[in-house]
Amino acid sequence: MSRNFYKDFIKGHTGDADLQFLLVGGELVKIRSSSWKKNRFFKLQEDCKTFWHESHKTFRRNQTFSIDDIDSVRRGRQSEGLNKHTEPTVEEKCFSIIFKGRKKNLDLMAASGGEAKQWVNGLEKIISNMRNLSPQQKSEHWIINCMRKADKNGDDKMTLKEVKHFLRQINVEVDDTYAEEIFKKSDKSNSGTLEGSEIKDFYNLLTHREEVDVIFAKYAKTEGQMSVRDLQTFLLNEQREPATIEDAQKLIEKYELDEKAKQNKRMSKDGFLMYLHQEDGSILNPAHKHVYQDMHQPLNHYYISSSHNTYLMEDQLKGPSSTEAYIKALMKSCRCVELDCWDGANGEPVIFHGHTLTSKVIFRDVIKAIKDYAFKTSEYPVILSLENHCTLDQQKLMAHHLISILGDALVTKPLGNKMPTNFPSPEELKGKFLIKGKRLNKLEAFFNNNNTVEEDTVSEDDEAADCKENGQKAKPKKSKIKLAKQLSDIVIYCKSVHFNGFEHAKENQEFYEMSSLKESKAFNLAETSATAFTHHNMDKLSRIYPAGTRTDSSNYNPVPMWNVGCQIVALNFQTACKEMDLNQGRFLPNGFCGYILKPEFQRNLSSQFDPNALTNGPWLKRKTFHVMVISAQQLPKINKDKHKSIVDPLVRVEIHGVPGDIDSQETRHIDNNGFNPMWNQRFEFEIHVPELVMVRFVVEDYDSTSQNDHIGQYCLPLTSVQNGYRHIPLLTKRGDVITSAGLFVHLMLIDAQ
């Protein structure tokens, strides 16, 4: 294999002092606890993608991890481990590497603040470089890394045996005849090995996209290339975009790689492939990657990304509680987090799942973490949902911590100078925190000098009363607790009240009074009183939470709750599952800000929308959704431990929405090809309420004897789907992008005949 070819590819990545520092490497102190602090050598490997560090484990002397596995790098004592096991005096020397998924953080300490800064700067640069690569560059990077691994003797050449090994590495099983055929085509020197430019020829043969050739040839009418007019015709006919000549010209300037073609205002095949792989050729409408919806509507007019028992990292009975769980949820743009508060030792309130063996985390530390990470991915308001089990003294301390740590960002009185009659908007509440909890009196007390009550008893929160469901010892249902005025006073727009039916709420409930409903009750109401439920959510907030029996932290389907306009549909964010895929897909558009404006028929009081009955109304817009699954590229191996294990992929297209729209269809499976499988299979879906439809693409490894293995998925609202030939990125179970992997499809949403 040619190392020069590889170095050309990563050129520019290593000409930086901080990156050179990583390549040389150095000693760091690895910290696991107050008593476990060990010196370990770390360095970036030559591929600029893999980190090596020494290990003193008997069977794992050398350990590596990929830059792709890193979620973020935090400077200072910003992890729970460093905060607990180091002193504030070493703040400047510390940093943490945060991994994707469930892999534990790597907490490290350098010899000096300057060295720590170099480690962090270098890591952030290499991570940024990797993430800024185009999909084609990532693909090339991945393939070349596999070539390097296949070159067993490191002689910069590839024998036929090494080529066969390489093909298995990239997840494709071919017979010896085909392997010999592409080897001979590339071995122009007839030397029996591939080297130099021959490796590039081999790479080009391997990655040739026949399906893209066919599309390009159909429209490339100008000396084998697309003129501006040719490209405009493609955009109008295939992509169904209202493209002008100027739009086509901009795409050529943006994506064409050949300078001569660009000067001639033409697009080559390479430029066309680049366009298809970038955001303009993606399934997700590029305009929806940013905040594009009206953010000036009342808060209850939005679906709000929400977490249940946010503090838990695993199950509901004995798993760990951690500030890290809050950080992970907030970094996924979760805008409503839950805090179960109990009396702690030394007078400090703690958060944990009461009456269980889950570990405890200090309330104050959680509020600090929330303050630090609440607005890193979204500037829109965060709701802190308090489940309060504390005595008066510790409630007062909770209020003190909330006010002192959150400062001016905490909403402590209604906006404006008069009693509001509706919620403020997300735009008005940018950068603000709202407290959801019990309140001693009406909000009007702020304006009529009647806010003097010191403390009183209130009924406990509905979710606390429902804790009997999971077999825990619990207080009698709806017992009373004493509520401190200090904590009551900072509950402004989200006062918790018991749900007594829609008619009672309509007559007696203020707009800022909201109820929490367990899933069984909410699902029953959605089935039997869908229109009333939808109307209730037009001027009030509703929060839905999982049943107490879900001790494994599993989730319910959020779609039926969105169908009736529920805003705060709380899920267990720590659990990778189909329901979380739907949740992340729902909040993917609108800048991934955690707020999605509900359809107009879920906001207009004159609406009689019922998701269970497809009656005529503004919501009924009959469409036919045509999907052709064409091909996939570079799917990951599922069983990496088995050298000869190759996936047999199939693709399932799922439609989630109102009951009348639910559907699912799948392709045949392709034997032994995860590198470039091709299906060319067409499906049709009849859609009735498109504004509530979620589309989920799932890729699985077919198994005739057991359940298929999950390879990757991608989910988004139908309203954010672009028509035409589109590439679809694939995500892991944890929601991380699978580097280089993707689907290629043709999509068309048209009015039903």
Side-chain angles (χ1 to χ4, degrees):
M1 190 192 74
S2 168
R3 291 189 188 276
N4 288 332
F5 176 43
Y6 178 77
K7 285 178 180 176
D8 286 344
F9 175 71
I10 61 170
K11 191 176 179 180
H13 287 203
T14 57
D16 177 280
D18 291 324
L19 298 183
Q20 290 294 342
F21 175 81
L22 296 187
L23 288 164
V24 172
E27 280 209 342
L28 292 166
V29 179
K30 184 178 177 181
I31 298 171
R32 285 187 181 167
S33 69
S34 299
S35 58
W36 200 101
K37 298 177 181 179
K38 309 285 185 182
N39 283 10
R40 295 288 185 262
F41 194 88
F42 287 77
K43 74 185 294 286
L44 181 66
Q45 294 193 317
E46 184 188 347
D47 64 2
C48 285
K49 185 180 177 178
T50 310
F51 239 89
W52 173 90
H53 63 98
E54 65 176 322
S55 170
H56 290 192
K57 291 180 180 178
T58 305
F59 299 106
R60 298 179 72 184
R61 287 293 188 190
N62 298 315
Q63 290 188 289
T64 60
F65 59 85
S66 169
I67 294 295
D68 283 334
D69 294 335
I70 299 176
D71 181 69
S72 61
V73 181
R74 297 183 199 155
R75 184 175 296 170
R77 298 163 61 248
Q78 294 297 307
S79 74
E80 191 168 33
L82 287 175
N83 199 34
K84 186 185 294 184
H85 304 309
T86 62
E87 297 298 322
T89 53
V90 297
E91 178 82 30
E92 294 296 315
K93 299 180 184 180
C94 294
F95 67 97
S96 298
I97 297 175
I98 312 300
F99 293 100
K100 298 171 182 175
R102 286 192 170 180
K103 188 174 180 179
K104 289 182 179 178
N105 300 344
L106 196 52
D107 291 330
L108 303 166
M109 184 168 67
S112 68
E115 275 194 24
K117 187 177 180 181
Q118 273 194 292
W119 281 103
V120 173
N121 286 350
L123 279 164
E124 287 180 340
K125 284 176 184 176
I126 201 75
I127 291 168
S128 177
N129 281 341
M130 289 298 297
R131 290 178 181 172
N132 288 333
L133 293 176
S134 72
Q136 285 152 293
Q137 288 173 317
K138 287 178 182 176
S139 168
E140 192 169 341
H141 200 170
W142 177 72
I143 290 172
I144 293 168
N145 265 320
C146 290
M147 285 181 176
R148 290 170 65 87
K149 290 175 184 175
D151 181 17
K152 293 291 187 182
N153 59 4
D155 63 356
D156 296 344
K157 300 176 183 178
M158 290 186 76
T159 64
L160 177 59
K161 184 178 179 181
E162 286 172 335
V163 164
K164 290 177 182 178
H165 175 70
F166 161 72
L167 290 170
R168 282 193 294 270
Q169 272 195 312
I170 63 170
N171 210 1
V172 59
E173 184 71 41
V174 298
D175 59 36
D176 288 348
T177 304
Y178 178 71
E180 289 171 17
E181 182 184 329
I182 59 172
F183 184 87
K184 285 178 181 177
K185 278 185 182 178
S186 305
D187 183 17
K188 303 284 174 54
S189 62
N190 294 315
S191 63
T193 61
L194 303 183
E195 55 185 301
S197 62
E198 292 173 339
I199 289 180
K200 191 159 189 176
D201 292 340
F202 172 73
Y203 170 84
N204 290 336
L205 273 175
L206 193 68
T207 57
H208 177 237
R209 296 279 301 277
E210 182 184 344
E211 71 275 32
V212 175
D213 285 357
V214 172
I215 302 163
F216 183 76
K218 182 178 178 181
Y219 289 93
K221 304 296 185 184
T222 311
E223 298 177 342
Q225 295 181 328
M226 282 188 183
S227 67
V228 176
R229 183 71 67 185
D230 294 339
L231 181 56
Q232 183 199 22
T233 303
F234 167 78
L235 295 171
L236 291 169
N237 292 355
E238 300 292 353
Q239 310 299 70
R240 298 297 173 97
E241 296 175 16
T244 64
I245 286 290
E246 290 73 22
D247 293 328
Q249 178 62 42
K250 285 177 182 176
L251 290 178
I252 291 173
E253 291 170 0
K254 190 174 181 180
Y255 296 121
E256 181 50 55
L257 305 172
D258 185 281
E259 284 301 320
K260 186 176 179 182
K262 191 183 288 189
Q263 287 172 9
N264 292 330
K265 298 183 178 180
R266 294 179 185 176
M267 181 173 273
S268 66
K269 189 164 64 178
D270 285 344
F272 183 64
L273 192 59
M274 178 69 81
Y275 152 75
L276 287 175
H277 271 291
Q278 295 295 327
E279 68 172 16
D280 287 295
S282 171
I283 186 173
L284 176 64
N285 186 335
H288 293 190
K289 291 182 74 173
H290 311 284
V291 175
Y292 74 97
Q293 293 183 326
D294 177 8
M295 301 305 286
H296 295 84
Q297 302 255 359
L299 197 69
N300 65 306
H301 283 191
Y302 299 82
Y303 303 127
I304 303 171
S305 181
S306 306
S307 163
H308 169 253
N309 287 0
T310 313
Y311 48 90
L312 292 177
M313 298 286 284
E314 297 173 11
D315 65 75
Q316 307 278 317
L317 294 179
K318 59 185 188 315
S321 303
S322 173
T323 56
E324 203 61 48
Y326 286 92
I327 294 170
K328 286 181 180 291
L330 291 167
M331 293 301 285
K332 289 181 178 178
S333 292
C334 177
R335 298 291 87 186
C336 179
V337 296
E338 186 176 14
L339 303 88
D340 285 3
C341 309
W342 299 79
D343 280 358
N346 304 316
E348 279 288 348
V350 294
I351 293 173
F352 81 114
H353 200 199
H355 311 292
T356 70
L357 298 176
T358 58
S359 66
K360 300 173 183 178
V361 60
I362 295 171
F363 178 85
R364 180 187 63 239
D365 292 344
V366 168
I367 302 306
K368 285 180 179 177
I370 290 172
K371 164 74 170 177
D372 290 340
Y373 288 90
F375 304 112
K376 286 190 179 291
T377 57
S378 171
E379 56 190 344
Y380 290 102
V382 171
I383 300 169
L384 308 187
S385 180
L386 302 183
E387 189 178 306
N388 174 22
H389 304 270
C390 293
T391 55
L392 285 173
D393 285 344
Q394 295 210 15
Q395 287 182 41
K396 291 173 184 176
L397 196 51
M398 285 168 58
H400 168 76
H401 290 326
L402 288 164
I403 293 167
S404 62
I405 295 170
L406 302 181
D408 292 341
L410 179 64
V411 175
T412 56
K413 61 181 181 179
L415 274 57
N417 299 315
K418 61 181 181 179
M419 178 61 198
T421 57
N422 207 346
F423 290 98
S425 68
E427 192 69 28
E428 291 175 284
L429 292 168
K430 268 186 179 178
K432 297 292 186 182
F433 294 97
L434 299 175
I435 305 298
K436 173 195 165 290
K438 291 291 181 177
R439 184 177 169 84
L440 292 168
N441 53 16
K442 297 278 189 181
L443 204 57
E444 288 84 348
F446 276 96
F447 301 96
N448 59 18
N449 297 319
N450 192 26
N451 199 27
T452 56
V453 61
E454 283 301 319
E455 59 188 55
D456 203 348
T457 57
V458 294
S459 61
E460 66 178 345
D461 192 75
D462 282 357
E463 185 172 356
D466 284 335
C467 68
K468 283 182 179 177
E469 278 197 31
N470 61 5
Q472 304 162 22
K473 291 180 181 178
K475 306 176 202 174
K477 273 190 175 276
K478 304 312 297 173
S479 63
K480 300 282 187 177
I481 62 166
K482 275 199 169 184
L483 181 62
K485 177 180 185 298
Q486 293 90 332
L487 197 57
S488 167
D489 282 354
I490 56 176
V491 174
I492 306 301
Y493 290 110
C494 300
K495 177 185 176 182
S496 297
V497 298
H498 179 64
F499 179 73
N500 287 305
F502 296 128
E503 281 304 316
H504 181 273
K506 186 176 180 181
E507 297 296 327
N508 301 285
Q509 205 169 307
E510 303 290 347
F511 78 88
Y512 56 84
E513 294 179 324
M514 61 175 290
S515 301
S516 291
L517 302 171
K518 62 182 175 181
E519 63 173 275
S520 57
K521 188 170 189 174
F523 273 73
N524 181 56
L525 290 170
E527 287 178 15
T528 60
S529 308
T531 302
F533 207 166
T534 304
H535 269 259
H536 175 81
N537 290 322
M538 287 179 183
D539 57 8
K540 295 175 182 66
L541 287 168
S542 290
R543 176 177 173 271
I544 317 301
Y545 60 90
T549 49
R550 293 185 182 274
T551 55
D552 59 351
S553 294
S554 59
N555 281 308
Y556 58 88
N557 180 4
V559 175
M561 298 296 94
W562 293 327
N563 286 347
V564 290
C566 294
Q567 301 89 351
I568 303 177
V569 181
L571 299 178
N572 291 304
F573 265 56
Q574 72 272 34
T575 303
C577 57
K578 176 179 179 177
E579 293 78 16
M580 271 305 297
D581 293 344
L582 291 167
N583 191 77
Q584 292 303 94
R586 164 59 70 197
F587 293 99
L588 179 66
N590 205 32
F592 196 50
C593 75
Y595 284 83
I596 295 290
L597 186 64
K598 296 194 289 185
E600 196 272 342
F601 56 79
Q602 289 188 335
R603 296 180 275 124
N604 189 329
L605 288 169
S606 66
S607 169
Q608 293 299 309
F609 174 65
D610 180 349
N612 305 313
L614 297 175
T615 55
N616 284 326
W619 50 85
L620 194 63
K621 300 172 183 175
R622 296 181 187 275
K623 305 279 184 181
T624 302
F625 186 39
H626 296 270
V627 177
M628 180 165 69
V629 179
I630 302 172
S631 62
Q633 295 77 45
Q634 296 170 31
L635 302 175
K637 294 182 76 165
I638 298 302
N639 194 341
K640 293 182 180 178
D641 295 332
K642 289 188 178 179
H643 178 60
K644 294 187 177 181
S645 173
I646 308 293
V647 300
D648 306 322
L650 62 81
V651 179
R652 185 169 61 256
V653 185
E654 300 173 354
I655 302 295
H656 301 266
V658 300
D661 285 342
I662 296 172
D663 200 355
S664 176
Q665 299 183 53
E666 68 183 36
T667 67
R668 66 188 183 280
H669 72 274
I670 304 289
D671 288 327
N672 295 323
N673 187 353
F675 183 72
N676 56 0
M678 193 174 297
W679 292 274
N680 287 318
Q681 278 189 255
R682 299 175 185 270
F683 306 116
E684 282 188 14
F685 300 93
E686 297 305 317
I687 305 295
H688 302 87
V689 188
E691 289 173 274
L692 291 178
V693 166
M694 301 288 298
V695 187
R696 182 171 178 254
F697 295 86
V698 187
V699 184
E700 292 181 341
D701 180 13
Y702 173 76
D703 194 318
S704 60
T705 59
S706 62
Q707 188 173 354
N708 294 346
D709 288 320
H710 182 90
I711 295 175
Q713 67 83 33
Y714 191 79
C715 183
L716 76 169
L718 181 62
T719 51
S720 293
V721 169
Q722 292 203 99
N723 282 326
Y725 289 102
R726 302 295 173 185
H727 273 103
I728 303 175
L730 291 175
L731 309 181
T732 65
K733 285 183 177 180
R734 295 266 156 206
D736 301 310
V737 175
I738 302 173
T739 304
S740 307
L743 290 175
F744 186 48
V745 298
H746 185 268
L747 308 167
M748 198 59 61
L749 182 68
I750 60 174
D751 292 334
Q753 298 299 317

